């Protein structure tokens, strides 16, 4: 960089003059930075929109291509307090009987009350040998069929004993207030229960075996399985949940008994859930409409050609709110008339308007009372949105006859066939739109992210080159002014020398 000599001899404001001289080139650099900023915002806008498009594609449309997305069952239990039932797609319609013989329980031991050999209080820091148990003593705990030896040495404390028990696969705790060990299995069911074996006197001293004759003795509840009778067949589970033929049964209580001692039965009724099919279709259109309306809004956005990203200097002259409003105006217009966006909108709307053949009959969405409101009746940027006649949540069509619900009730197979095919067509159209971008990085994207990333990188190079050229141009002018200042200094020196000759 040149030595920057200001106007000491010329009296000129060198800094201001050079700033004006290079201002035109600085504008070029600023313009490149503004274009880079707009492209960066456009990349962000596409990322956000593509996430929503992909969500509809993968999480909704993909699933609706298959019949099981529409298979809904509804089950009611006459005694809902006894058990709850969640139907699966393989659940069989009809009425079943059920009774519950027992619930699954986890094994639980309330230990006997402890004391030291001298009758003192036991704490977590109390050594087990202080209870009168010899060092080197051991016993076995069996948990989930696995045997673990518990060894007591001269340093084993009650807290240490609890740690050994916990490591053996049970929940264990010593309550100093109650002076008892509390131990439970980690899971319900008889196969997940636990037991102790070893020297009976040691186990009694630790309160680990039952002693019915002693009010302060241990009490053990054995782990047990749940038993459910369904249509007379017996089912057993180590939890209170049963998975049977695609249906989930959760038992909550034991059945009452009849006078003859048999278990009272409750009825379980399973039917097709037509409301569930309707809700599935309506949920799809809610998501579809939200997305297509947003895309239309972005595509038809007002032009912001008179707005450019602000420089740091320009931002300083505005409030934060003004800066945000200015930038949002630009951001809202970045996908205006975008060709990639147009392709997505066209692919989706064309597919939705298309026909599907069901049992030899050509059908459209309108065949099910589903249509747009038309150009003149739709709100701006909502002309591609679909409305279901009779939908109580849609004021525009809530008063119309609900064709879709009627057809689901009368002919669910036709409804399912139509929407699986339509969804498959939409999935294919969206896939094709994504496949137009061949780069691996762009998989499942409807815009060319790799190309946009390259353009951003190119801007980095262009800006760096422009800034370097600007610096060189600025240095050139400083060099010229420095040379002028040097020449003026030399001239002034000569003039002073001549003046001194005449004055002598």
């Amino acid at each position: 960089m040149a030595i920057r000599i200001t106007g000491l001899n010329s009296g000129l404001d060198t800094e201001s003059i050079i700033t004006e001289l290079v201002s035109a080139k600085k504008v070029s650099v600023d313009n490149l930075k503004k274009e880079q900023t707009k492209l960066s915002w456009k990349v962000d806008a596409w990322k956000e929109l593509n996430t929503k498009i992909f969500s509809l594609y993968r999480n909704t449309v993909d699933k609706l291509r298959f019949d099981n997305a529409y298979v809904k069952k509804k089950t009611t239990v006459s005694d809902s307090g006894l058990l709850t039932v969640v139907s699966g797609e393989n659940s069989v319609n009809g009425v079943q009987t059920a009774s519950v013989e027992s619930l699954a329980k986890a094994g639980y031991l309330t230990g006997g009350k402890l004391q030291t050999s001298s009758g003192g209080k036991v704490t977590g820091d109390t050594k087990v040998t202080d209870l009168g148990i010899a060092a080197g003593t051991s016993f076995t705990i069996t948990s989930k069929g696995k045997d673990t030896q518990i060894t007591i040495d001269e340093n084993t404390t009650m807290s240490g004993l609890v740690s050994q028990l916990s490591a053996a696969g049970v929940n264990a705790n010593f309550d100093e207030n109650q002076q008892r060990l509390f131990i439970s299995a980690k899971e319900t069911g008889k196969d997940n229960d636990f037991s102790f074996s070893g020297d009976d006197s040691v186990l009694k001293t630790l309160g680990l075996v039952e002693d019915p004759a002693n009010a302060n003795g241990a009490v053990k509840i054995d782990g047990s399985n749940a038993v459910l009778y369904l249509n007379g067949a017996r089912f057993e589970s180590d939890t209170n949940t049963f998975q049977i033929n695609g249906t989930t049964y959760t038992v909550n209580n034991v059945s009452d008994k009849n006078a003859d001692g048999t278990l009272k039965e409750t009825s379980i009724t399973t039917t097709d859930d037509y409301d569930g099919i309707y809700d599935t279709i309506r949920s799809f259109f809610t998501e579809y409409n939200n997305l297509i309306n947003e895309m239309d809004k972005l595509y038809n956005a007002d032009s912001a050609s008179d707005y450019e990203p602000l420089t740091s200097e320009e931002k300083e002259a505005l409030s934060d709110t003004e800066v945000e409003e200015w930038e949002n105006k630009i951001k809202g217009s970045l996908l205006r008339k975008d060709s990639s966006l147009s392709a997505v909108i066209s692919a989706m709307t064309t597919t939705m308007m298309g026909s599907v053949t069901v049992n030899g009959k050509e059908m459209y969405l309108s065949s099910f009372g589903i249509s747009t409101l038309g150009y003149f009746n739709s709100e701006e940027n909502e002309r591609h949105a679909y409305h279901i006649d009779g939908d109580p949540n849609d004021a525009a069509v809530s008063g119309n006859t609900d064709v879709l619900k009627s057809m689901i009730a009368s002919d669910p197979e036709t409804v399912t066939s139509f929407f699986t095919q339509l969804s498959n067509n939409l999935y294919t159209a969206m896939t094709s739109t994504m496949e137009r971008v061949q780069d691996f990085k762009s998989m499942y994207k409807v815009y060319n992210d790799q190309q946009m990333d390259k353009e951003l990188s190119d801007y980095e190079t262009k800006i760096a080159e422009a800034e370097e050229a600007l610096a060189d141009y600025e240095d050139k002018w400083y060099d010229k002014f420095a040379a002028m200042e040097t020449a003026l200094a030399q001239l002034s020196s000569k003039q002073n020398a001549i003046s001194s000759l005449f004055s002598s």
Side-chain angles (χ1 to χ4, degrees):
M1 180 179 290
I3 298 174
R4 296 181 170 179
I5 302 174
T6 57
L8 294 175
N9 295 290
S10 65
L12 298 174
D13 185 354
T14 305
E15 294 285 346
S16 297
I17 295 172
I18 294 177
T19 298
E20 288 297 324
L21 288 169
V22 301
S23 61
K25 287 189 175 294
K26 186 176 185 302
V27 168
S28 298
V29 175
D30 288 341
N31 286 340
L32 283 172
K33 290 182 177 179
K34 289 178 179 181
E35 290 300 319
Q36 181 191 39
T37 298
K38 284 201 295 186
L39 181 57
S40 175
W41 287 347
K42 187 172 184 178
V43 169
D44 291 341
W46 261 122
K47 285 181 179 179
E48 182 179 351
L49 180 59
N50 194 86
T51 297
K52 297 175 183 178
I53 294 171
F54 183 72
S55 178
L56 177 71
Y57 170 79
R58 174 63 76 206
N59 299 329
T60 302
V61 177
D62 186 21
K63 295 176 181 177
L64 294 179
R65 297 185 298 145
F66 305 99
D67 290 346
N68 58 14
Y70 305 88
V71 176
K72 307 293 180 181
K73 298 288 184 176
K74 179 170 60 177
T75 298
T76 56
V77 181
S78 59
D79 183 356
S80 58
L82 184 67
L83 76 162
T84 55
V85 182
V86 178
S87 301
E89 60 186 67
N90 295 323
S91 297
V92 178
N93 288 356
V95 179
Q96 303 180 80
T97 59
S99 58
V100 180
E101 182 178 272
S102 63
L103 300 180
K105 296 179 181 178
Y108 195 96
L109 173 70
T110 301
K113 202 162 187 176
L114 306 183
Q115 62 181 6
T116 65
S117 299
S118 60
K121 185 176 182 180
V122 179
T123 70
D125 294 328
T126 300
K127 292 183 178 180
V128 177
T129 54
D130 290 344
L131 276 66
I133 297 175
T137 300
S138 64
F139 61 91
T140 300
I141 177 174
T142 302
S143 175
K144 296 181 68 172
K146 177 184 175 182
D147 293 338
T148 302
Q149 183 172 294
I150 306 298
T151 300
I152 298 169
D153 60 31
E154 63 274 8
N155 296 316
T156 303
T157 63
M158 288 301 298
S159 294
L161 176 62
V162 168
S163 295
Q164 287 192 64
L165 292 171
S166 297
V170 294
N171 299 313
N173 181 57
F174 176 66
D175 187 331
E176 292 187 7
N177 292 326
Q178 300 300 325
Q179 294 287 282
R180 295 173 185 263
L181 283 164
F182 291 87
I183 302 171
S184 65
K186 289 189 174 181
E187 300 174 71
T188 58
K190 62 183 181 182
D191 290 339
N192 297 317
D193 202 358
F194 63 92
S195 62
F196 296 98
S197 59
D199 188 322
D200 195 54
S201 64
V202 172
L203 296 176
K204 284 185 177 181
T205 299
L206 291 172
L208 298 179
V209 291
E210 289 187 282
D211 187 354
N214 185 351
N216 292 323
V219 178
K220 173 70 162 55
I221 297 175
D222 293 330
S224 61
N225 289 347
V227 175
L228 169 69
Y229 287 91
L230 189 64
N231 302 321
R234 186 179 186 274
F235 297 90
E236 188 169 351
S237 172
D238 59 8
T239 71
N240 288 312
T241 299
F242 298 77
Q243 298 285 345
I244 303 173
N245 194 30
T247 300
T248 302
Y249 301 84
T250 301
V251 296
N252 305 315
N253 284 298
V254 174
S255 298
D256 293 332
K257 291 185 178 181
N258 296 307
D260 61 359
T262 59
L263 296 173
K264 288 185 177 180
E265 294 184 329
T266 189
S267 61
I268 303 171
T269 305
T270 302
T271 58
D272 289 324
D273 183 7
Y274 296 139
D275 287 339
I277 300 174
Y278 179 87
D279 290 342
T280 296
I281 296 171
R282 183 169 62 176
S283 294
F284 160 70
F285 279 108
T286 297
E287 185 179 0
Y288 175 88
N289 289 344
N290 288 338
L291 178 60
I292 202 70
N293 288 347
E294 180 177 355
M295 291 195 292
D296 280 344
K297 181 179 179 181
L298 292 170
Y299 185 78
N300 297 320
D302 293 335
S303 172
S305 58
D306 295 334
Y307 293 77
E308 291 293 334
L310 301 168
T311 62
S312 298
E313 294 82 2
E314 290 169 334
K315 287 182 179 180
E316 290 177 359
L318 301 173
S319 68
D320 291 343
T321 300
E322 289 172 329
V323 170
E324 183 178 5
E325 290 176 350
W326 184 281
E327 292 184 347
N328 286 342
K329 177 68 175 178
I330 301 171
K331 292 177 180 179
S333 69
L334 291 172
L335 299 185
R336 168 182 162 81
K337 307 306 178 187
D338 185 281
S339 59
S340 295
L341 181 54
S342 176
V344 180
I345 293 173
S346 178
M348 293 175 63
T349 56
T350 299
T351 301
M352 296 295 280
M353 290 188 294
S355 65
V356 169
T357 301
V358 181
N359 297 325
K361 181 180 179 181
E362 193 173 43
M363 305 185 78
Y364 298 83
L365 281 172
S366 57
S367 306
F368 301 86
I370 304 172
S371 61
T372 63
L373 297 180
Y375 185 89
F376 296 104
N377 294 323
S378 299
E379 296 291 333
E380 187 177 6
N381 297 319
E382 294 185 7
R383 296 188 174 102
H384 290 130
Y386 282 90
H387 300 258
I388 303 173
D389 284 347
D391 182 353
N393 297 324
D394 189 339
V397 294
S398 59
N400 298 344
T401 300
D402 200 326
V403 178
L404 177 61
K405 275 192 174 180
S406 297
M407 293 193 69
I408 291 173
S410 62
D411 192 359
E413 290 79 11
T414 293
V415 176
T416 299
S417 178
F418 175 87
F419 280 98
T420 53
Q421 292 184 65
L422 179 66
S423 298
N424 191 65
N425 292 344
L426 182 57
Y427 183 86
T428 300
M430 295 177 78
T431 301
S432 178
T433 302
M434 294 176 183
E435 288 177 346
R436 290 187 304 105
V437 183
Q438 297 298 323
D439 302 315
F440 176 78
K441 183 179 179 183
S442 301
M443 184 176 293
Y444 299 124
K445 290 185 173 65
V446 296
Y447 69 103
N448 196 327
D449 62 330
Q450 190 167 33
Q451 177 62 34
M452 295 178 82
D453 286 347
K454 181 180 181 302
E455 291 175 8
L456 281 173
S457 179
D458 290 344
Y459 270 117
E460 291 287 348
T461 303
K462 291 177 182 177
I463 290 171
E465 292 174 348
E467 287 180 331
E468 184 177 358
L470 176 63
D472 290 343
Y473 185 70
E474 191 174 32
D475 287 344
K476 182 185 73 172
W477 279 108
Y478 273 107
D479 287 343
K480 288 184 178 181
F481 276 94
M484 181 188 74
E485 293 293 335
T486 300
L488 288 173
Q490 292 173 347
L491 177 60
S492 177
S493 179
K494 289 179 180 180
Q495 288 176 337
N496 290 337
I498 293 172
S499 297
S500 64
L501 288 174
F502 284 103
S503 63
S504 57

